[in-house]
Amino acid sequence: MTYLKIAGACKLNGQVSISGAKNAALPLIVSSILAKNEVQISNIPNVADIKTLFVLLENLGANYEFKDNFARIDTRNLSKTKAVYDIVRKMRASILVLGPLLSRFGSCEVSLPGGCAIGQRPIDLHLLALEKMGAKIEIKQGYVVASGRLKGTDVLFDKITVTGSENIIMAAALAKGKTRLLNVAKEPEVVQLCEVLKEAGLEISGIGSSELEIYGTDSELLNFKEFSVIPDRIEAGTYLCAGAITNSKITLKKVNPSHLSAVLSKLEQMGFGFESKEDTLTILPAKEIKPVEILTSEYPGFPTDMQAQFMALALKANGTSIIDERLFENRFMHVSELLRMGADIRLNGHIATIVGGSELNGADVMATDLRASSALVLAALAAKGESNVHRIYHLDRGYENLESKFKGLGADIKRLKEE
Ligand code: UD1
């Protein structure tokens, strides 16, 4: 296992290129199950979760090539419809194969993902929607066993779910007849999936709204055009927080600022400025870092995936900040690690009160989930002295070339082997 050694109290400068969005790439790669041709995708981030997904597809019988962020995926000879526990347990998003496998083959088995560090994260809404479309769903020996030809119908999601929406959009694509999806997630990643499917010939309307109408092809596969994955808004937000926590001017390249409205608005409230030109965005230092109040919610609200990074940043604010985590019940695992660095944070249920202004000290800390890990890296950059961030395989799941990107910005950061 490796860890990151990070020298603190640094100033950053320069430019960093933002990678393609992991959370967009995952459903887009899975959507190749619906294709009648080889699917070509560029700007795929080379991160562990993507590699896990390719292993899963290969296991089902797909052929693929993935090099220099470009993939060719051929699922025409898919021979199996069972997504095994050993792969699904590594990545919850594997559940995304359920909808497309079922709609293409009329039956499939997908291991239940199980719990994860940030909470229970059930998939009941995915299953209810498929049942509404006519699927028979059983849980057998830890697997979702699904069968039946899917028929278009009205599906109302009781709660907004990102992968749930994506799963059912892909299921509806090959279903028979019209599916109307209500209370659909509006995240840019969901929008890109819809746009790509539309380009591939799917009749779909309402893209970008919470109500979609999809005219299923009745099992006819789609003809995909080559496309490029949208920029990762969470990676971009994380680097903006790195600029902010070190109060440095840095420039992000290959970014889509319109996907970052909630994050930019909170950074502005905290005193930071921005300059933006086409696909670049520069964060300007604050005269005084002000405290902030954050409530996580679905897009276009403030993303839960940026909550941990803003908590680290709030430690540098001149006053007390409040973060209310509304989406995941256990997404404060980073708090106890930040406390080890001298942070003053109080937790009361889903509300964190962060008293800013006390000095952070370098320490050994342990990453617990993907975004919590990036908060620890940010805190380490701002702390006095050296920090070691352990268990960084969490970071490797979602951040491409993290050390080299930070080194390029002037940080002193090394990946070392645990003794
Ligand atoms: C996706 C993102 C993740 C992000 C999250 C919220 C991917 C691969 N992951 O996760 O990074 O943090 O959206 O923006 O895109 N829920 C249910 N039943 C369900 C499904 C969800 O109760 O069947 C609940 C969840 O427990 C949670 C809320 O709905 O409280 C939102 O979860 P959801 O949007 O489904 O998150 P993911 O799609 O797993």
Side-chain angles (χ1 to χ4, degrees):
M1 277 216 281
T2 55
Y3 67 99
L4 290 176
K5 187 176 269 306
I6 300 171
C10 75
K11 274 275 174 200
L12 302 177
N13 62 75
Q15 302 192 330
V16 58
S17 258
I18 298 306
S19 298
K22 167 185 84 77
N23 284 356
L26 291 170
L28 290 167
I29 292 168
V30 168
S31 74
S32 67
I33 294 174
L34 308 172
K36 65 168 145 207
N37 56 333
E38 181 188 81
V39 177
Q40 300 184 8
I41 313 177
S42 55
N43 204 32
I44 299 180
N46 188 2
V47 294
D49 273 8
I50 296 292
K51 292 181 204 158
T52 303
L53 181 60
F54 279 129
V55 171
L56 173 60
L57 286 181
E58 193 171 42
N59 206 263
L60 296 172
N63 291 317
Y64 78 96
E65 225 181 81
F66 179 42
K67 209 176 150 205
D68 299 332
N69 302 107
F70 177 79
R72 295 172 189 281
I73 313 160
D74 189 345
T75 66
R76 282 172 291 193
N77 293 324
L78 224 60
S79 50
K80 290 190 217 131
T81 54
K82 182 169 180 172
V84 296
Y85 174 70
D86 228 27
I87 304 176
V88 177
R89 75 181 165 84
K90 290 195 187 132
M91 183 181 63
R92 287 186 45 83
S94 309
I95 194 65
L96 282 167
V97 299
L98 178 63
L101 281 179
L102 180 60
S103 68
R104 177 163 158 193
F105 296 101
S107 68
C108 68
E109 291 177 50
V110 180
S111 170
L112 279 167
C116 77
I118 66 171
Q120 201 192 355
R121 296 181 88 175
I123 54 157
D124 56 321
L125 301 174
H126 304 228
L127 303 183
L128 279 172
L130 291 174
E131 279 178 334
K132 184 94 202 296
M133 295 174 77
K136 184 174 164 222
I137 306 273
E138 290 173 290
I139 306 294
K140 281 189 193 158
Q141 292 166 333
Y143 279 76
V144 178
V145 180
S147 58
R149 278 277 158 215
L150 298 180
K151 287 191 205 71
T153 182
D154 284 4
V155 173
L156 166 68
F157 292 101
D158 283 348
K159 211 170 172 181
I160 297 176
T161 158
V162 176
T163 48
S165 300
E166 292 162 347
N167 222 338
I168 304 310
I169 289 165
M170 290 188 279
L174 305 190
K176 185 177 163 71
K178 181 174 95 175
T179 303
R180 212 157 65 97
L181 299 178
L182 305 164
N183 206 22
V184 176
K186 292 183 284 192
E187 268 67 4
E189 296 76 21
V190 180
V191 171
Q192 188 177 25
L193 174 67
C194 294
E195 281 168 349
V196 164
L197 294 177
K198 187 172 183 182
E199 272 288 295
L202 183 67
E203 233 185 289
I204 173 168
S205 61
I207 297 178
S209 77
S210 57
E211 193 175 323
L212 292 175
E213 277 191 1
I214 299 170
Y215 292 84
T217 63
D218 195 8
S219 298
E220 199 193 321
L221 297 174
L222 301 167
N223 190 10
F224 278 63
K225 310 275 180 314
E226 184 177 339
F227 61 90
S228 173
V229 176
I230 57 171
D232 195 319
R233 63 195 169 99
I234 306 301
E235 189 200 20
T238 303
Y239 283 102
L240 287 175
C241 283
I245 204 167
T246 57
N247 215 11
S248 310
K249 175 179 173 180
I250 62 168
T251 297
L252 275 50
K253 293 193 301 181
K254 297 212 270 179
V255 66
N256 184 340
S258 72
H259 292 165
L260 284 159
S261 305
V263 164
L264 296 182
S265 139
K266 289 298 164 191
L267 286 170
E268 251 165 19
Q269 285 171 28
M270 294 180 88
F272 299 96
F274 297 97
E275 282 165 4
S276 166
K277 243 194 300 171
E278 288 160 24
D279 64 348
T280 68
L281 180 64
T282 301
I283 178 163
L284 307 169
K287 286 200 186 77
E288 180 203 349
I289 304 182
K290 291 182 230 148
V292 71
E293 283 190 20
I294 288 175
L295 175 69
T296 65
S297 73
E298 297 86 3
Y299 190 85
F302 186 91
T304 172
D305 285 354
M306 284 303 303
Q307 177 259 105
Q309 300 88 317
F310 267 77
M311 189 177 296
L313 174 57
L315 293 168
K316 298 299 283 182
N318 190 1
T320 299
S321 299
I322 306 282
I323 297 184
D324 188 344
E325 171 57 63
R326 289 289 177 92
L327 289 186
F328 294 112
E329 70 270 24
N330 195 19
R331 206 170 202 180
F332 283 136
M333 310 279 281
H334 42 287
V335 171
S336 49
E337 299 302 302
L338 291 172
L339 295 181
R340 305 191 65 248
M341 299 176 81
D344 183 351
I345 304 171
R346 289 149 217 190
L347 281 183
N348 186 1
H350 50 83
I351 296 175
T353 305
I354 303 114
V355 182
S358 49
E359 194 170 64
L360 293 175
N361 293 301
D364 278 77
V365 288
M366 209 181 278
T368 48
D369 72 61
L370 174 54
R371 305 305 170 185
S373 322
S374 57
L376 299 180
V377 171
L378 297 180
L381 291 171
K384 193 168 150 217
E386 223 167 45
S387 297
N388 298 312
V389 182
H390 301 275
R391 295 208 183 154
I392 51 168
Y393 53 84
H394 290 290
L395 275 174
D396 295 335
R397 283 188 42 214
Y399 287 94
E400 187 174 50
N401 302 332
L402 181 107
E403 308 96 91
S404 63
K405 287 190 185 188
F406 270 117
K407 272 188 198 147
L409 291 170
D412 182 352
I413 176 168
K414 289 186 206 84
R415 184 182 286 249
L416 300 170
K417 275 219 160 86
E418 301 273 5
E419 304 267 297

